[in-house]
Amino acid sequence: MAEPVQSIHAHAAADLRFIRDAMARATEFTAVPGWGGVLMGVSAIVTAAVSGPPGPSRRWMLIWLADAALAASIALVAMTMKARRTGAPLSSAAPAFRFALAYVPPLVAGMVLTWVFATMGMMARLPGCWLLMYGAAVATGGAFSVRIVPVTGLCFMVLGVAAFAAPAAWGHWFMAAGFGGLHIVFGIVIARRYGG
């Protein structure tokens, strides 16, 4: 008689573990790509070296917008690969939807402000704008992810404020520190602690 009772307890414990794991996956978006962030950081450092200090010409802005498109591609590919490897669905999962819903509005605001800064001749101040708005996107989207993601966003925001306070000619150094350095450092931490 003791054997069936023990079997029921073992089965119940296994069910509770399954439910607990399912609830944890349902509440956090864990497909944030660590190694993808490292690659994005490397491309930003190269871009900072190529672009030089921000100035009144559109060349500087276009070089960084090209890097943003490259970084977005890297992020999407890395996120998809990590989601497949870990079994975290991207298209139908509530955490992924909530992450995107919180992440996208600050990016759209950053796009609008980019147009405003460019048309008003304030392109040299775009580094502060981009770092601040990207940081806001990562911080708000990160509210639905692991704890280190919103911390990353806050670091970007602090760097954006510092870029606004510093001389405009230092903008490419702030871009390298943020989009390069922060992506590399936090990318390595995310990759090691959260499965790539």
Side-chain angles (χ1 to χ4, degrees):
M1 189 69 173
E3 194 173 316
V5 172
Q6 190 174 22
S7 174
I8 291 172
H9 288 297
H11 184 65
D15 286 347
L16 285 174
R17 272 193 303 278
F18 173 79
I19 292 168
R20 194 176 308 121
D21 290 344
M23 288 177 67
R25 284 192 307 272
T27 58
E28 288 185 341
F29 178 69
T30 57
V32 174
W35 295 122
V38 171
L39 288 175
M40 292 163 54
V42 169
S43 77
I45 289 172
V46 170
T47 300
V50 170
S51 73
S57 80
R58 292 189 187 264
R59 175 189 168 277
W60 182 88
M61 183 179 72
L62 293 175
I63 289 171
W64 276 103
L65 290 176
D67 183 63
L70 174 63
S73 300
I74 291 170
L76 288 173
V77 168
M79 196 177 300
T80 302
M81 289 172 58
K82 182 175 179 180
R84 284 185 184 153
R85 191 176 61 252
T86 62
L90 286 178
S91 59
S92 62
F97 179 73
R98 287 192 304 265
F99 180 89
L101 197 59
Y103 183 80
V104 170
L107 290 184
V108 172
M111 288 182 224
V112 171
L113 288 173
T114 297
W115 179 79
V116 170
F117 279 44
T119 58
M120 296 188 75
M122 298 173 19
M123 282 187 287
R125 287 301 178 179
L126 279 172
C129 174
W130 287 343
L131 288 162
L132 188 62
M133 298 312 295
Y134 180 75
V138 172
T140 57
F144 302 101
S145 187
V146 292
R147 182 172 297 183
I148 195 166
V149 176
V151 170
T152 305
L154 292 175
C155 290
F156 270 97
M157 293 176 74
V158 167
L159 208 52
V161 171
F164 275 128
W170 298 0
H172 64 304
W173 297 117
F174 281 97
M175 295 286 280
F179 292 111
L182 290 179
H183 271 144
I184 290 170
V185 169
F186 283 103
I188 290 170
V189 173
I190 289 168
R192 289 188 175 165
R193 290 189 184 170
Y194 302 101

